[in-house]
Amino acid sequence: MKHDSTLARSFDHHEQKRLRYGTFACCLLIPLYFCTVLRPSLNLLVFSEVVTKNLEPICNVLEPRTNFCEINRDVRVDGKSSTVSIVSSQMEVLAGNGPWTIRPYARKEDKKPMNHTRAWSVKPVIGDQEVPRCSRNHSVPAILFSNGGYTGNHFHEFTDIVVPLYITSRKYDGEVQFLISDLRTWWVAKFQAILKGLSNYELLDIDKEAVHCFPSITVGLKRHPKDLTIDPSKHSYSMKDFREFLRNTYSLKRANAIRIRDGQRKKPRLLIISRRRTRCFTNLRQITKMARTLGYKVTVEEADRNMSRIAQVVNSCDVLMGVHGAGLTNILFLPENSIFIQILPIGGFEWIATNYFGVPSRGMNLNYLEYKISKEESTLINDPHTTPIRGWEGFKSTFLNAQNIKLNVNRFRPTLLKALELLHY
């Protein structure tokens, strides 16, 4: 009442009427202003928040030994141009934006193998950009990896390809398509059983293919920073799981090594991994004879490309011995609690022997023994300590490629006795 009387004294009847109409008009204009001027800005804020919440890490280039991209959306893989196109709308923003260049071989810190690995461009295709047309559509995810690098070396075939492929693909339980770049047909034949154990589909030599379309893809392979190792806390699988996969793949019968009681006549099997070209045993007959006098059944084998055969031979044994080299990778097939004896030539093999095979063997639940030969057991004529060795190539040419071993059987005998002791319970 007080406000009405004040208004009546300040304005006449007509002015009061105009004031009420003006106030009403202002009330209509304010919401109109919000709808036409402020709404796009508000929508942009809301959209930005939604996009930020849905950003996905596409490519991981921060791992110490491998780069890989995990793309959970429509992708087009063009083998002829080595391009993986990520189909995205204008409303989507991809983390990192791209493009990325990925060499899908899991040893990125080493330039030599990476120079033999084809580079792939992973890039988003947004909005009005031309999207490659599909020549073939797939309903399962894909994994793209390379057969380049150090393929041909048995150790690197496992640590750089096979184990990382297991880590990357196992979660799909076979429902995944393998795309191989830099394909070697002999490698596919060698690892055919493993490839079939991980994928239900015929692999594609993707370098020769036109555009293939997938609902998702991993470009490159995941791996542990250490060789022949799987971290179960990170990858949900362990080296124990991988070795069980190998036993199932090759129908290996023995999960555990022999256990010997005092008084039993059971003879453990000793496998000697031989070599032909370098780091060979020059007195293999003497070594074999001495081992048999200790109660071993002795088998001598050289690793080759017949994976099924070598897997069966290794799995049948309780003790494996050999000079440091790629053939020792076959310890993967040994039964648990077996004994692994690595023989180190002269020249400073301690670091690579420990990290390539010693530490990984313990992760396989094997008993690891190491034997370092003396200067008298090496065929090197010149004293390596007086000859300057320059870099890896110098080490390789001197100690890896120009040295054989004449094992002192009396000096080595206690190592085989220790292996027997470890098999007793």
Side-chain angles (χ1 to χ4, degrees):
M1 292 294 293
K2 185 176 180 180
H3 294 294
D4 289 344
S5 62
T6 302
L7 185 64
R9 287 195 301 270
S10 302
F11 301 96
D12 61 22
H13 176 72
H14 293 290
E15 289 174 330
Q16 292 178 33
K17 201 170 186 180
R18 284 199 297 273
L19 183 60
R20 290 190 181 98
Y21 287 145
T23 302
F24 178 72
C26 286
C27 290
L28 293 176
L29 287 172
I30 288 172
L32 181 63
Y33 172 80
F34 272 95
C35 290
T36 57
V37 178
L38 295 182
R39 184 176 179 182
S41 299
L42 290 172
N43 284 345
L44 183 60
L45 290 172
V46 172
F47 169 69
S48 298
E49 185 179 354
V50 171
V51 170
T52 302
K53 288 182 178 179
N54 287 283
L55 287 177
E56 298 177 3
I58 298 297
C59 292
N60 184 339
V61 296
L62 301 178
E63 295 286 328
R65 307 195 71 180
T66 185
N67 292 334
F68 61 89
C69 304
E70 290 185 289
I71 308 164
N72 296 312
R73 60 185 68 233
D74 181 13
V75 290
R76 316 291 168 92
V77 183
D78 186 352
K80 293 181 179 179
S81 64
S82 301
T83 302
V84 178
S85 299
I86 311 168
V87 181
S88 307
S89 69
Q90 287 181 328
M91 303 295 285
E92 293 177 306
V93 178
L94 302 180
N97 296 323
W100 300 267
T101 299
I102 302 294
R103 295 182 185 272
Y105 182 79
R107 206 173 193 86
K108 75 175 188 181
E109 80 284 0
D110 193 337
K111 292 182 180 180
K112 185 176 180 180
M114 301 312 284
N115 289 336
H116 297 285
T117 303
R118 191 179 191 187
W120 285 76
S121 175
V122 179
K123 62 181 183 179
V125 179
I126 301 174
D128 297 332
Q129 296 179 5
E130 185 176 354
V131 178
R133 298 183 64 181
C134 302
S135 62
R136 181 177 172 187
N137 286 285
H138 301 261
S139 60
V140 296
I143 295 175
L144 192 159
F145 64 96
S146 173
N147 232 182
Y150 284 132
T151 298
N153 179 291
H154 192 60
F155 170 77
H156 287 288
E157 287 169 357
F158 268 97
T159 198
D160 300 345
I161 303 178
V162 175
V163 175
L165 184 61
Y166 173 85
I167 293 171
T168 309
S169 67
R170 192 58 172 164
K171 66 178 182 179
Y172 296 110
D173 196 25
E175 287 301 301
V176 63
Q177 174 71 62
F178 290 158
L179 313 177
I180 303 188
S181 185
D182 308 305
L183 183 140
R184 273 79 161 164
T185 54
W186 63 262
W187 184 91
V188 174
K190 177 179 177 179
F191 290 102
Q192 187 69 43
I194 289 176
L195 293 170
K196 286 187 175 181
L198 293 173
S199 173
N200 300 329
Y201 303 87
E202 289 295 323
L203 61 86
L204 290 175
D205 181 0
I206 195 62
D207 295 345
K208 298 179 181 179
E209 295 289 330
V211 181
H212 285 251
C213 298
F214 297 91
S216 64
I217 190 172
T218 301
V219 181
L221 300 174
K222 304 174 186 179
R223 68 164 292 169
H224 192 280
K226 295 180 180 179
D227 293 309
L228 297 178
T229 303
I230 301 175
D231 183 356
S233 65
K234 186 174 182 179
H235 300 299
S236 301
Y237 303 102
S238 65
M239 185 54 72
K240 181 181 177 68
D241 296 322
F242 177 66
R243 281 170 31 87
E244 185 176 349
F245 164 75
L246 291 179
R247 282 198 295 270
N248 292 332
T249 297
Y250 292 106
S251 302
L252 305 180
K253 297 178 180 179
R254 302 178 72 220
N256 294 283
I258 192 174
R259 305 299 287 171
I260 305 172
R261 290 181 179 178
D262 291 335
Q264 283 187 332
R265 293 185 177 182
K266 286 184 180 180
K267 289 188 175 183
R269 292 179 178 271
L270 168 66
L271 173 61
I272 302 175
I273 298 293
S274 64
R275 300 174 59 91
R276 288 185 184 178
R277 298 177 183 176
T278 64
R279 285 160 282 148
C280 312
F281 290 120
T282 61
N283 60 334
L284 194 54
R285 288 185 179 179
Q286 281 184 289
I287 300 169
T288 302
K289 183 178 179 180
M290 183 269 291
R292 285 176 176 148
T293 63
L294 297 180
Y296 286 101
K297 290 182 179 179
V298 182
T299 302
V300 179
E301 287 286 345
E302 183 177 4
D304 57 26
R305 292 181 181 176
N306 189 333
M307 291 296 296
S308 180
R309 186 189 68 82
I310 197 67
Q312 296 289 343
V313 171
V314 173
N315 184 253
S316 71
C317 294
D318 307 291
V319 181
L320 181 148
M321 62 170 279
V323 181
H324 174 83
L328 298 186
T329 311
N330 292 308
I331 60 174
L332 286 163
F333 304 113
L334 280 172
E336 293 201 9
N337 300 308
S338 296
I339 318 300
F340 166 42
I341 305 170
Q342 181 173 200
I343 297 168
L344 278 58
I346 62 171
F349 279 79
E350 287 78 8
W351 188 90
I352 57 174
T354 298
N355 288 278
Y356 283 16
F357 297 114
V359 173
S361 71
R362 295 188 181 103
M364 301 175 200
N365 199 22
L366 304 178
N367 295 290
Y368 178 64
L369 298 176
E370 197 170 88
Y371 178 82
K372 299 177 185 178
I373 71 168
S374 64
K375 186 172 66 173
E376 291 72 26
E377 293 172 279
S378 171
T379 60
L380 285 178
I381 298 174
N382 297 324
D383 187 345
H385 297 97
T386 62
T387 306
I389 303 299
R390 297 181 180 178
W392 170 253
E393 290 302 321
F395 176 85
K396 180 180 178 181
S397 61
T398 303
F399 299 118
L400 287 175
N401 295 342
Q403 179 176 196
N404 291 323
I405 287 88
K406 184 178 181 180
L407 213 59
N408 182 329
V409 292
N410 292 324
R411 185 170 180 264
F412 182 64
R413 181 187 174 94
T415 304
L416 286 182
L417 288 172
K418 178 63 177 178
L420 281 174
E421 180 184 326
L422 290 170
L423 290 172
H424 276 76
Y425 71 103

